[in-house]
Amino acid sequence: MQLRPYRPEDCAGMAALFYDTVHTVNARDYTPAQLDAWADGRVDLEVWDASFRQHLTLVAEEDGRLVGFADMDGSGYLDRLYVHSGYQRRGVASALCGALEAAVPGPYTTHSSITARPFFEARGYRVVRAQQVERHGVLLTNFVMRRPADKKG
């Protein structure tokens, strides 16, 4: 697996990976209606591209195939972290997070799904609060999580 910086031509593939990951990996923790609200298959690629360009965004590839991506802003906010459903538990998320955390001074925060919470807890993140977020009229539970800058994950 190799990590590299985001390129605009990655955006459509990242949107497809996002949809697939949400609807497969997160299906054990969210209802079908919640999954559809979270990832409806209609990502605004221009908005995503602009966001990825403003953040430090990394792409994980294996044999030329997109297997994950993550982005973090300059304040240490980890915005998105998604790993292909066929590449779970292979160190992709850890590599992406580790590279972002090494490049951006902490402390770090994220809004973690129910599914990803144990991953972040294992990296030293702690729940600040649970919250309900609304997407397309549907409520989803996630967790605001924080990790101090000096805690190595």
Side-chain angles (χ1 to χ4, degrees):
M1 177 190 54
Q2 297 176 340
L3 300 185
R4 64 164 175 80
Y6 168 75
R7 297 187 296 247
E9 58 267 24
D10 297 324
C11 198
M14 291 162 69
L17 185 148
F18 162 71
Y19 180 88
D20 174 69
T21 299
V22 168
H23 283 268
T24 55
V25 175
N26 298 98
R28 70 178 182 257
D29 296 309
Y30 294 90
T31 68
Q34 289 172 319
L35 298 172
D36 288 341
W38 181 356
D40 64 7
R42 296 185 302 258
V43 169
D44 185 329
L45 295 179
E46 288 183 19
V47 171
W48 263 35
D49 177 59
S51 176
F52 289 141
R53 288 175 187 236
Q54 291 173 348
H55 297 167
L56 174 57
T57 304
L58 298 175
V59 172
E61 289 182 324
E62 188 166 285
D63 298 323
R65 180 179 187 185
L66 173 68
V67 298
F69 68 92
D71 64 306
M72 182 178 279
D73 71 16
S75 75
Y77 175 67
L78 178 65
D79 191 358
R80 287 159 286 216
L81 170 63
Y82 292 93
V83 174
H84 188 283
S85 59
Y87 289 82
Q88 298 288 308
R89 300 189 182 276
R90 292 192 188 179
V92 177
S94 293
L96 287 163
C97 279
L100 292 173
E101 291 164 353
V104 177
Y108 308 102
T109 58
T110 194
H111 293 184
S112 171
S113 67
I114 295 167
T115 313
R117 179 180 169 177
F119 167 80
F120 285 111
E121 288 176 333
R123 291 189 65 76
Y125 286 73
R126 296 296 169 247
V127 172
V128 174
R129 71 179 177 281
Q131 63 182 7
Q132 296 284 309
V133 294
E134 183 269 328
R135 297 284 183 269
H136 305 294
V138 177
L139 293 177
L140 297 94
T141 298
N142 73 14
F143 303 92
V144 176
M145 299 186 76
R146 186 170 179 86
R147 192 190 101 185
D150 60 351
K151 180 78 175 175
K152 298 296 179 199

mmCIF file of all heavy atoms in Angstrom, residues 6 8 11 44-55 57 71 80:
data_model
loop_
_atom_site.group_PDB
_atom_site.id
_atom_site.type_symbol
_atom_site.label_atom_id
_atom_site.label_comp_id
_atom_site.label_asym_id
_atom_site.label_seq_id
_atom_site.Cartn_x
_atom_site.Cartn_y
_atom_site.Cartn_z
ATOM 1 N N TYR A 6 -3.684 13.839 -2.562
ATOM 2 C CA TYR A 6 -4.891 13.908 -3.380
ATOM 3 C C TYR A 6 -4.635 14.635 -4.688
ATOM 4 O O TYR A 6 -3.877 15.603 -4.741
ATOM 5 C CB TYR A 6 -5.983 14.649 -2.585
ATOM 6 C CG TYR A 6 -7.176 15.055 -3.397
ATOM 7 C CD1 TYR A 6 -8.125 14.122 -3.786
ATOM 8 C CD2 TYR A 6 -7.347 16.378 -3.791
ATOM 9 C CE1 TYR A 6 -9.223 14.496 -4.537
ATOM 10 C CE2 TYR A 6 -8.456 16.763 -4.539
ATOM 11 C CZ TYR A 6 -9.385 15.813 -4.914
ATOM 12 O OH TYR A 6 -10.480 16.187 -5.659
ATOM 13 N N PRO A 8 -7.165 16.081 -8.078
ATOM 14 C CA PRO A 8 -8.575 16.289 -8.442
ATOM 15 C C PRO A 8 -9.194 15.125 -9.214
ATOM 16 O O PRO A 8 -10.388 14.838 -9.035
ATOM 17 C CB PRO A 8 -8.549 17.568 -9.277
ATOM 18 C CG PRO A 8 -7.363 18.318 -8.747
ATOM 19 C CD PRO A 8 -6.339 17.243 -8.420
ATOM 20 N N CYS A 11 -11.329 12.453 -7.232
ATOM 21 C CA CYS A 11 -12.555 12.795 -6.514
ATOM 22 C C CYS A 11 -13.718 11.850 -6.805
ATOM 23 O O CYS A 11 -14.387 11.387 -5.887
ATOM 24 C CB CYS A 11 -12.937 14.247 -6.796
ATOM 25 S SG CYS A 11 -14.105 14.921 -5.605
ATOM 26 N N ASP A 44 -21.613 16.182 -4.351
ATOM 27 C CA ASP A 44 -21.263 17.329 -5.190
ATOM 28 C C ASP A 44 -19.747 17.316 -5.345
ATOM 29 O O ASP A 44 -19.016 17.732 -4.444
ATOM 30 C CB ASP A 44 -21.757 18.628 -4.540
ATOM 31 C CG ASP A 44 -21.529 19.847 -5.412
ATOM 32 O OD1 ASP A 44 -20.543 19.859 -6.187
ATOM 33 O OD2 ASP A 44 -22.327 20.788 -5.302
ATOM 34 N N LEU A 45 -19.283 16.826 -6.481
ATOM 35 C CA LEU A 45 -17.848 16.637 -6.678
ATOM 36 C C LEU A 45 -17.082 17.948 -6.638
ATOM 37 O O LEU A 45 -15.931 17.983 -6.178
ATOM 38 C CB LEU A 45 -17.582 15.898 -7.985
ATOM 39 C CG LEU A 45 -18.093 14.459 -8.042
ATOM 40 C CD1 LEU A 45 -17.784 13.845 -9.405
ATOM 41 C CD2 LEU A 45 -17.523 13.603 -6.925
ATOM 42 N N GLU A 46 -17.676 19.046 -7.084
ATOM 43 C CA GLU A 46 -16.989 20.342 -7.022
ATOM 44 C C GLU A 46 -16.770 20.769 -5.577
ATOM 45 O O GLU A 46 -15.700 21.266 -5.220
ATOM 46 C CB GLU A 46 -17.771 21.407 -7.785
ATOM 47 C CG GLU A 46 -17.720 21.235 -9.285
ATOM 48 C CD GLU A 46 -18.434 22.352 -10.031
ATOM 49 O OE1 GLU A 46 -18.655 23.436 -9.446
ATOM 50 O OE2 GLU A 46 -18.753 22.139 -11.208
ATOM 51 N N VAL A 47 -17.769 20.567 -4.731
ATOM 52 C CA VAL A 47 -17.649 20.920 -3.317
ATOM 53 C C VAL A 47 -16.618 20.021 -2.640
ATOM 54 O O VAL A 47 -15.773 20.495 -1.880
ATOM 55 C CB VAL A 47 -19.020 20.830 -2.609
ATOM 56 C CG1 VAL A 47 -18.884 20.971 -1.101
ATOM 57 C CG2 VAL A 47 -19.964 21.900 -3.162
ATOM 58 N N TRP A 48 -16.684 18.727 -2.915
ATOM 59 C CA TRP A 48 -15.709 17.811 -2.318
ATOM 60 C C TRP A 48 -14.302 18.161 -2.775
ATOM 61 O O TRP A 48 -13.376 18.188 -1.979
ATOM 62 C CB TRP A 48 -16.054 16.361 -2.670
ATOM 63 C CG TRP A 48 -16.839 15.665 -1.594
ATOM 64 C CD1 TRP A 48 -17.781 16.218 -0.784
ATOM 65 C CD2 TRP A 48 -16.742 14.297 -1.226
ATOM 66 N NE1 TRP A 48 -18.283 15.264 0.059
ATOM 67 C CE2 TRP A 48 -17.670 14.081 -0.195
ATOM 68 C CE3 TRP A 48 -15.986 13.235 -1.690
ATOM 69 C CZ2 TRP A 48 -17.839 12.838 0.407
ATOM 70 C CZ3 TRP A 48 -16.163 11.991 -1.098
ATOM 71 C CH2 TRP A 48 -17.073 11.798 -0.052
ATOM 72 N N ASP A 49 -14.112 18.402 -4.059
ATOM 73 C CA ASP A 49 -12.793 18.731 -4.577
ATOM 74 C C ASP A 49 -12.243 19.977 -3.887
ATOM 75 O O ASP A 49 -11.083 20.001 -3.463
ATOM 76 C CB ASP A 49 -12.846 18.934 -6.093
ATOM 77 C CG ASP A 49 -11.515 19.347 -6.669
ATOM 78 O OD1 ASP A 49 -10.519 18.598 -6.510
ATOM 79 O OD2 ASP A 49 -11.441 20.431 -7.280
ATOM 80 N N ALA A 50 -13.076 21.007 -3.758
ATOM 81 C CA ALA A 50 -12.627 22.242 -3.098
ATOM 82 C C ALA A 50 -12.215 21.956 -1.654
ATOM 83 O O ALA A 50 -11.189 22.458 -1.176
ATOM 84 C CB ALA A 50 -13.724 23.301 -3.152
ATOM 85 N N SER A 51 -12.992 21.144 -0.951
ATOM 86 C CA SER A 51 -12.675 20.792 0.431
ATOM 87 C C SER A 51 -11.372 20.001 0.507
ATOM 88 O O SER A 51 -10.513 20.276 1.348
ATOM 89 C CB SER A 51 -13.830 19.991 1.030
ATOM 90 O OG SER A 51 -13.530 19.554 2.327
ATOM 91 N N PHE A 52 -11.220 19.019 -0.360
ATOM 92 C CA PHE A 52 -9.987 18.220 -0.364
ATOM 93 C C PHE A 52 -8.768 19.085 -0.653
ATOM 94 O O PHE A 52 -7.700 18.862 -0.101
ATOM 95 C CB PHE A 52 -10.071 17.093 -1.386
ATOM 96 C CG PHE A 52 -11.014 15.972 -1.011
ATOM 97 C CD1 PHE A 52 -11.807 15.379 -1.973
ATOM 98 C CD2 PHE A 52 -11.102 15.507 0.288
ATOM 99 C CE1 PHE A 52 -12.664 14.338 -1.649
ATOM 100 C CE2 PHE A 52 -11.961 14.469 0.634
ATOM 101 C CZ PHE A 52 -12.754 13.882 -0.352
ATOM 102 N N ARG A 53 -8.920 20.067 -1.517
ATOM 103 C CA ARG A 53 -7.798 20.953 -1.844
ATOM 104 C C ARG A 53 -7.452 21.877 -0.677
ATOM 105 O O ARG A 53 -6.290 22.268 -0.516
ATOM 106 C CB ARG A 53 -8.129 21.797 -3.070
ATOM 107 C CG ARG A 53 -8.139 21.025 -4.361
ATOM 108 C CD ARG A 53 -8.611 21.949 -5.473
ATOM 109 N NE ARG A 53 -8.815 21.284 -6.717
ATOM 110 C CZ ARG A 53 -8.218 21.641 -7.843
ATOM 111 N NH1 ARG A 53 -7.352 22.630 -7.855
ATOM 112 N NH2 ARG A 53 -8.487 21.004 -8.959
ATOM 113 N N GLN A 54 -8.448 22.241 0.129
ATOM 114 C CA GLN A 54 -8.196 23.118 1.275
ATOM 115 C C GLN A 54 -7.575 22.363 2.444
ATOM 116 O O GLN A 54 -6.937 22.965 3.301
ATOM 117 C CB GLN A 54 -9.489 23.789 1.730
ATOM 118 C CG GLN A 54 -10.013 24.811 0.752
ATOM 119 C CD GLN A 54 -11.383 25.341 1.139
ATOM 120 O OE1 GLN A 54 -12.050 24.795 2.015
ATOM 121 N NE2 GLN A 54 -11.806 26.395 0.481
ATOM 122 N N HIS A 55 -7.782 21.066 2.509
ATOM 123 C CA HIS A 55 -7.262 20.229 3.593
ATOM 124 C C HIS A 55 -6.021 19.485 3.113
ATOM 125 O O HIS A 55 -5.741 19.417 1.919
ATOM 126 C CB HIS A 55 -8.299 19.192 4.012
ATOM 127 C CG HIS A 55 -9.547 19.776 4.573
ATOM 128 N ND1 HIS A 55 -10.689 19.034 4.767
ATOM 129 C CD2 HIS A 55 -9.858 21.034 4.979
ATOM 130 C CE1 HIS A 55 -11.640 19.798 5.287
ATOM 131 N NE2 HIS A 55 -11.154 21.006 5.419
ATOM 132 N N THR A 57 -5.048 16.169 2.230
ATOM 133 C CA THR A 57 -5.825 14.998 1.831
ATOM 134 C C THR A 57 -4.884 13.952 1.261
ATOM 135 O O THR A 57 -4.092 14.238 0.367
ATOM 136 C CB THR A 57 -6.890 15.380 0.776
ATOM 137 O OG1 THR A 57 -7.715 16.417 1.312
ATOM 138 C CG2 THR A 57 -7.755 14.187 0.412
ATOM 139 N N ASP A 71 -8.818 13.127 5.095
ATOM 140 C CA ASP A 71 -8.409 14.528 5.019
ATOM 141 C C ASP A 71 -8.524 15.191 6.379
ATOM 142 O O ASP A 71 -9.369 14.838 7.202
ATOM 143 C CB ASP A 71 -9.208 15.299 3.962
ATOM 144 C CG ASP A 71 -10.687 15.411 4.253
ATOM 145 O OD1 ASP A 71 -11.344 14.377 4.481
ATOM 146 O OD2 ASP A 71 -11.208 16.542 4.241
ATOM 147 N N ARG A 80 -12.778 13.438 6.952
ATOM 148 C CA ARG A 80 -13.230 12.177 6.355
ATOM 149 C C ARG A 80 -12.128 11.139 6.457
ATOM 150 O O ARG A 80 -10.948 11.449 6.276
ATOM 151 C CB ARG A 80 -13.594 12.388 4.883
ATOM 152 C CG ARG A 80 -14.899 13.151 4.692
ATOM 153 C CD ARG A 80 -14.963 13.765 3.313
ATOM 154 N NE ARG A 80 -14.059 14.901 3.280
ATOM 155 C CZ ARG A 80 -14.291 16.026 2.599
ATOM 156 N NH1 ARG A 80 -15.381 16.162 1.876
ATOM 157 N NH2 ARG A 80 -13.425 17.021 2.633
#
